Amino acid sequence: MQEKDFNTSYEPSWCPGCGNFGIFIALKNALVELGLKPDNVLLVAGIGCSGNGVNFLKAYGWHSLHGRALPTAVGAKLANQNMTVIVMAGDGDSYGEGMAHFIHAVRGNANITYITHDNSLYSLTTGQSAPTTDKGTRTKSTPDGLIEVRANPMSLALSAGGGFVSRGFSGQADHLTSLIKKAINHEGFSLVDVFQPCVTFNKINTFKYYLDRLYNLDEQSNYKANNLEAAHKEALVWGNKIPYGLFYQDKRRSYGDHLPQLKGQPLAKRPVKVRNIDQLTREFA
Ligand code: SF4
């Protein structure tokens, strides 16, 4: 497979320079380098600028309701465990409308990859504050400055028992490609929260903002991604310096691996036996 094999007839409609482009380049590269084929992959999108990505990447696609991408993806994975299931959702969709789903999906450890397009705003609706907007930021919806503190996806995922917790940057497609490959190969729930500058509405969290602050945990010889305490400490670093890379990886059995009824042929491929509905109702009564 080549990168072009994942192209569709649609051109991305994002604003020129949008951070979404870097994520899609990295995702396509990762799929090619892993030897996956379009009919092996299901892309589930949330609502947000990233959501129309299902039209730009040739694979199975599902554009879910706002905040509901995760339960859709978990259900799809249970129905067909042979499918590589990847979720793309914005920070509002992930940590606002979908926050409860996020926490419980991390706890459940379904074998899916969650790529968050984190631009610290609701950008599709032209720039309101989102859960990852910094306290005090003035936006269209917070003209006097945001009252709430910023949600911390790394800390939340680690506290919920996340087995693969990572952060990428859409301005570094090679590193992001490698991170997404590791996330897809991880047996269990994998989070890749990606700083994705919105060049149109966010004039604070720009590419330069991140380039001036980011340091790569993967390049630190004394940082070990199997140390939960160290991961929690790094997750709290925010301000003039911001860590990215693989914070934590641990192996525990995935949700589907606990279910003997999923062994063998995927549920979606098994023949449906039509049974007497009256008898079925009595059995469940
Ligand atoms: Fe990207 Fe922002 Fe444009 Fe949306 S509004 S496509 S996030 S630059």
Side-chain angles (χ1 to χ4, degrees):
M1 302 303 293
Q2 297 175 1
E3 190 259 353
K4 67 178 173 52
D5 295 316
F6 285 94
N7 289 344
T8 69
S9 55
Y10 296 99
E11 288 292 321
S13 54
W14 298 309
C15 308
C18 173
N20 282 335
F21 287 100
I23 300 177
F24 260 71
I25 289 168
L27 175 59
K28 279 188 190 173
N29 287 343
L31 296 175
V32 171
E33 289 175 24
L34 289 173
L36 292 166
K37 296 181 177 160
D39 61 357
N40 297 139
V41 178
L42 169 66
L43 192 64
V44 181
I47 301 297
C49 290
S50 58
N52 59 4
V54 290
N55 300 316
F56 312 143
L57 191 138
K58 189 172 174 187
Y60 288 106
W62 184 271
H63 203 158
S64 78
L65 299 176
H66 208 180
R68 307 295 177 251
L70 270 177
T72 310
V74 171
K77 184 69 184 183
L78 293 178
N80 189 348
Q81 72 266 28
N82 292 344
M83 189 72 76
T84 296
V85 178
I86 299 167
V87 182
M88 311 283 274
D91 48 297
D93 196 275
S94 302
Y95 312 126
E97 287 79 5
M99 176 64 104
H101 291 304
F102 172 68
I103 296 294
H104 297 299
V106 174
R107 289 178 57 235
N109 202 33
N111 188 10
I112 61 177
T113 299
Y114 195 39
I115 302 175
T116 307
H117 296 229
D118 188 348
N119 57 31
S120 301
L121 277 185
Y122 281 97
S123 292
L124 185 66
T125 48
T126 73
Q128 294 78 18
S129 68
T132 54
T133 308
D134 274 318
K135 184 177 188 306
T137 306
R138 294 173 190 270
T139 70
K140 277 188 180 171
S141 57
T142 56
D144 295 325
L146 181 65
I147 294 169
E148 294 99 326
V149 297
R150 178 183 176 278
N152 184 334
M154 299 295 103
S155 290
L156 286 164
L158 290 168
S159 301
F164 188 103
V165 180
S166 73
R167 178 186 276 154
F169 174 45
S170 65
Q172 291 185 350
D174 285 348
H175 176 259
L176 188 54
T177 300
S178 145
L179 209 51
I180 292 174
K181 280 167 62 181
K182 286 182 197 161
I184 291 174
N185 279 335
H186 178 79
E187 289 283 326
F189 187 94
S190 49
L191 170 67
V192 187
D193 182 272
V194 186
F195 290 139
Q196 174 256 312
C198 167
V199 295
T200 301
F201 295 112
N202 193 331
K203 303 302 180 190
I204 297 172
N205 308 105
T206 60
F207 282 99
K208 183 174 185 322
Y209 174 95
Y210 290 116
L211 286 169
D212 288 346
R213 289 166 174 76
L214 288 176
Y215 63 93
N216 190 345
L217 293 175
D218 303 335
E219 293 173 351
Q220 314 256 315
S221 57
N222 59 347
Y223 186 81
K224 304 287 178 229
N226 61 359
N227 184 331
L228 184 58
E229 189 180 343
H232 273 290
K233 275 188 189 158
E234 288 292 344
L236 293 176
V237 178
W238 189 259
N240 292 334
K241 293 284 173 200
I242 301 174
Y244 76 120
L246 180 56
F247 282 60
Y248 185 66
Q249 185 170 20
D250 187 20
K251 190 159 171 53
R252 67 183 165 101
R253 289 170 73 197
S254 68
Y255 190 93
D257 198 33
H258 286 272
L259 303 175
Q261 56 271 49
L262 297 188
K263 298 273 184 282
Q265 201 176 28
L267 297 182
K269 307 247 175 190
R270 293 183 200 174
V272 177
K273 291 183 188 152
V274 179
R275 297 183 57 185
N276 182 317
I277 191 71
D278 292 330
Q279 184 190 339
L280 202 58
T281 307
R282 278 196 297 280
E283 283 177 23
F284 281 94

